[in-house]
Amino acid sequence: MSTPRFSVGIDLGTTNCALAWVELSPAGTDVTRSEVLEVSQVVQPGSVEARPLLPSFIYGPAAAELPLGALALPWDGARERAIGEWARSHGALVPGRLVSSAKSWLSNGAVDRRDSMLPVGGAEDLARISPVEASAQYLRHLKEAWNWRFATGEEGDPALALEEQEVTIAVPASFDAVARELTAEAAAQAGLRHLTLIEEPQAALYAWLEAMGDAWRGHLRPGDLLLVCDLGGGTTDLSLIEVSDASGELALNRIAVGEHILLGGDNMDLALGAKLEQKLAATGRKLDRWQSLALTHAARMGKERLFADPALAAFPISVPGRGSSLMASTLRTELTREELSEVLLEGFFPKVAASERPATPRRMGFTTLGLPYAQEPAVTRHIAHFLSRHGAALGRALHPTAVLFNGGVMKASLLKTRVMELLGAWAQAAGAVAPRELPGGDLDLAVAHGAAFHGLVRHGRAIRIRGGTARAYYVGIEAAMPAVPGMAPPMKTLCLAPMGMEEGSAAEPAGLELGLVLGERAHFRLFASSLRREDRVGTLFDEWELGEGELEELPPIEALLPGEGGQEEGVIVPVRLRAQVTELGTLEVHCIARDGRRWRLEFNLRAGAEERADG
């Protein structure tokens, strides 16, 4: 195995992927700036271009839909599915053959994320793939594009293959241990070996640190509280970074992360499409489902053009007609700047009080199977709730003094202005200082840049953002008691890994032994919390001691743990528990017997399915 030459960062985004790299130059030499890979992809059948973003979409064409070789790539002349730009644009018109939002499905605990389910409700002749496999395909495409340039092309060097480099993949800070594990699994399927995971808001801050150089110390000072506000195509991700003085040096410590909120640019495109559909309906034009999807796609393009060109007052919208030639005339309208501001500002960034909370409207008894999208569209209410919720957990009011924006949505200056106005109003009402916006770079590529820069951090070449795990992890313990009709045995909850536990570290509750059932199926309950900050390894408490929403249950583990030689059945063996946070940021739980035997518990993610146990 060759020594890695590059630190490579990958933004595995909901709507776009990107890859950046920086050379791991020897200590004592000048650190170079990270660069972005132009990713070759099909932009039209038979046409390939290299672009900095790889849209996170997979399109599976119908039989005989395209001529042979229409989806060929420089390294694969027989490609049968499209990934990237054409998959996104054409798939919007044929949604039954389009895989999208794989990253959001990775965090959906209500489904088996290894099951072949995408696209949900897709065409009957299309082979489904799992969210893990979809993520692996995006990573594999990035790997092949990299290798074509550096390792397998005419002047390539096999030692520069991506699988030989240090790779850091950015994941939402709100990803729990299960979603992180699945991301690592997708990377392994793609052939990536030297892997690290990093939280996206941290990556965005690392990108800012890289861009600012030593000048960053002039923008942040001890006592600052930095809000990283990351709004991408599919998610809203919030983190708080505290700036402190550590022996005369500035230190950065992540103190809070938000929930996984499925709310982003996709929601805004749907809202804009609905607005345009209402305009067409007012003229007597009714759209079918196909045309509605095409209208949403056109609304997205209009939004991006209006944000990119402040001088543009309106963007023309056209949707092909349907039916006979008499009725098949193209439907035309326009998206005006006033409509854009009205829908986005008032619908997604309304002025709210700091005390407001996301609404939870009553749901219908039946719903279509799909992603658990946020029911509250107002991003500003989610921000207010995030600051209030974590302020209560920390025992102090949280008023950011600085804000770093990230994500394609926040390229819109009117949206950033609204957030800054509200944060300032909330601070002023509490007698605090209004925040300032940190100067940013390319919001589409910052996460990839920062993930690459993190490789330098791991080699001691740049300042590290401290924080460890964003959550504390717990296991449920059933109390031993006589059977009572209609009464389940009470459960105690044991802290295995406290919040802030560093990657690569392990911990055991001192002096605690539990009984582990061998030879028959057992049920293990694990929990996580982003609020319980005072718990330490071994903290034990009853269910009634919990506040509302303090614990979130993870997918259960059901396992049949073998005894020695497979002979023990129903035997209870004394064990101690050991929790380990891997270098990836994933969680491992081990049960260790007095004689040294060890069983490892892993999340299975299948309702009622077996867990692998390493005995």
Side-chain angles (χ1 to χ4, degrees):
M1 183 185 71
S2 59
T3 301
R5 177 178 168 183
F6 297 109
S7 168
V8 177
I10 294 177
D11 179 5
L12 185 62
T14 307
T15 53
N16 287 294
C17 299
L19 184 152
W21 81 92
V22 63
E23 189 159 4
L24 291 169
S25 51
T29 61
D30 293 336
V31 174
T32 58
R33 292 294 178 89
S34 57
E35 300 180 53
V36 171
L37 177 71
E38 296 281 335
V39 183
S40 295
Q41 57 197 282
V42 174
V43 296
Q44 289 291 336
S47 176
V48 173
E49 293 182 12
R51 297 186 177 182
L53 294 175
L54 176 72
S56 308
F57 298 85
I58 303 172
Y59 180 76
E65 179 182 347
L66 297 171
L68 188 66
L71 301 181
L73 292 166
W75 57 84
D76 184 358
R79 184 62 61 98
E80 296 181 350
R81 291 195 178 199
I83 296 177
E85 181 57 44
W86 185 74
R88 177 178 66 173
S89 59
H90 184 70
L93 307 179
V94 194
R97 312 194 72 85
L98 180 68
V99 173
S100 62
S101 301
K103 179 178 175 180
S104 297
W105 283 103
L106 273 184
S107 64
N108 185 359
V111 299
D112 173 12
R113 287 155 277 184
R114 294 191 184 99
D115 184 37
S116 298
M117 67 174 77
L118 301 179
V120 176
E124 293 184 1
D125 65 321
L126 182 66
R128 306 292 199 275
I129 60 175
S130 70
V132 174
E133 172 57 26
S135 302
Q137 288 194 26
Y138 302 141
L139 292 171
R140 194 175 296 118
H141 187 112
L142 292 173
K143 183 189 76 171
E144 291 167 345
W146 167 282
N147 287 350
W148 178 255
R149 173 173 173 179
F150 290 100
T152 61
E154 292 181 1
E155 300 181 1
D157 179 356
L160 299 184
L162 189 60
E163 51 267 40
E164 301 298 333
Q165 311 310 312
E166 293 186 4
V167 176
T168 300
I169 297 178
V171 298
S174 52
F175 260 23
D176 62 20
V178 180
R180 290 169 184 262
E181 184 70 43
L182 291 170
T183 303
E185 185 177 313
Q189 287 187 20
L192 304 181
R193 295 200 293 262
H194 313 296
L195 184 67
T196 302
L197 301 182
I198 185 176
E199 296 171 7
E200 289 170 2
Q202 287 195 26
L205 182 53
Y206 278 132
W208 181 79
L209 292 170
E210 180 193 35
M212 296 301 297
D214 290 338
W216 74 268
R217 291 177 171 82
H219 291 270
L220 292 174
R221 50 187 177 269
D224 270 335
L225 188 61
L226 170 63
L227 172 66
V228 182
C229 186
D230 185 351
L231 273 80
T235 57
T236 294
D237 210 358
L238 305 170
S239 287
L240 281 174
I241 312 286
E242 197 165 47
V243 185
S244 60
D245 186 307
S247 302
E249 292 290 332
L250 287 179
L252 303 173
N253 184 47
R254 192 257 293 115
I255 63 170
V257 298
E259 299 172 338
H260 194 62
I261 306 171
L262 293 186
L263 175 65
D266 292 347
N267 304 71
M268 300 174 191
D269 297 341
L270 288 169
L272 291 170
K275 178 72 173 180
L276 295 175
E277 190 164 351
Q278 291 173 4
K279 287 175 64 174
L280 288 169
T283 65
R285 314 299 290 272
K286 187 175 181 179
L287 281 66
D288 60 22
R289 180 171 178 269
W290 184 92
Q291 291 171 310
S292 294
L293 290 168
L295 190 63
T296 299
H297 178 63
R300 177 184 62 81
M301 292 191 293
K303 176 194 70 177
E304 293 173 353
R305 283 290 303 278
L306 288 170
F307 281 155
D309 185 359
L312 197 62
F315 181 81
I317 301 289
S318 60
V319 178
R322 303 277 277 177
S324 66
S325 58
L326 180 63
M327 300 296 295
S329 59
T330 298
L331 306 179
R332 301 184 185 278
T333 184
E334 65 177 8
L335 176 64
T336 67
R337 186 167 296 279
E338 291 73 18
E339 290 167 339
L340 180 69
S341 299
E342 174 191 349
V343 171
L344 299 192
L345 278 181
E346 302 311 317
F348 294 92
F349 293 84
K351 293 181 179 180
V352 300
S355 58
E356 290 195 37
R357 299 292 175 265
T360 53
R362 177 179 292 183
R363 307 290 299 274
M364 293 184 65
F366 292 105
T367 180
T368 56
L369 296 176
L371 290 167
Y373 292 107
Q375 295 298 298
E376 169 62 71
V379 173
T380 44
R381 285 194 180 91
H382 288 289
I383 295 174
H385 180 50
F386 167 72
L387 295 174
S388 173
R389 186 168 182 250
H390 287 278
L394 287 164
R396 58 188 171 98
L398 296 178
H399 294 290
T401 58
V403 181
L404 179 65
F405 290 107
N406 190 57
V409 171
M410 301 316 296
K411 289 190 290 187
S413 59
L414 78 162
L415 303 184
K416 291 194 292 186
T417 299
R418 172 59 59 88
V419 171
M420 296 301 296
E421 288 175 350
L422 273 179
L423 290 172
W426 298 343
Q428 184 179 16
V433 177
R436 60 194 181 278
E437 179 186 348
L438 295 183
D442 189 328
L443 302 189
D444 285 325
L445 299 171
V447 166
H449 279 293
F453 185 76
H454 182 250
L456 300 179
V457 174
R458 294 179 65 246
H459 284 268
R461 307 291 305 281
I463 187 171
R464 177 185 292 272
I465 302 169
R466 298 289 179 182
T469 59
R471 289 168 174 73
Y473 292 96
Y474 307 80
V475 65
I477 302 173
E478 182 179 281
M481 62 171 289
V484 177
M487 180 182 296
M491 184 188 73
K492 289 184 176 292
T493 307
L494 174 71
C495 180
L496 292 176
M499 190 181 304
M501 187 169 170
E502 292 289 343
E503 289 83 357
S505 61
E508 294 183 14
L512 177 68
E513 274 194 332
L514 299 173
L516 178 67
V517 179
L518 300 181
E520 65 182 43
R521 186 171 298 282
H523 180 75
F524 301 85
R525 296 179 66 184
L526 281 93
F527 304 84
S529 175
S530 61
L531 298 176
R532 294 184 62 92
R533 301 170 180 275
E534 303 303 321
D535 292 341
R536 295 293 176 259
V537 177
T539 299
L540 193 65
F541 50 87
D542 294 298
E543 289 182 271
W544 57 266
E545 298 180 73
L546 290 170
E548 183 180 357
E550 282 193 337
L551 285 191
E552 173 191 359
E553 187 158 9
L554 299 175
I557 293 174
E558 289 193 10
L560 194 157
L561 304 181
E564 189 171 4
Q567 299 302 312
E568 295 170 315
E569 181 175 348
V571 173
I572 297 179
V573 177
V575 296
R576 68 183 193 273
L577 296 181
R578 178 182 177 87
Q580 180 173 351
V581 179
T582 70
E583 292 290 345
L584 291 178
T586 58
L587 178 70
E588 294 181 355
V589 180
H590 297 264
C591 305
I592 307 172
R594 294 172 181 172
D595 60 7
R597 283 182 294 168
R598 180 187 296 254
W599 297 267
R600 177 184 172 192
L601 304 179
E602 297 176 333
F603 302 103
N604 185 281
L605 315 180
R606 297 179 185 270
E610 285 188 8
E611 251 331 286
R612 186 176 86 239
D614 298 330

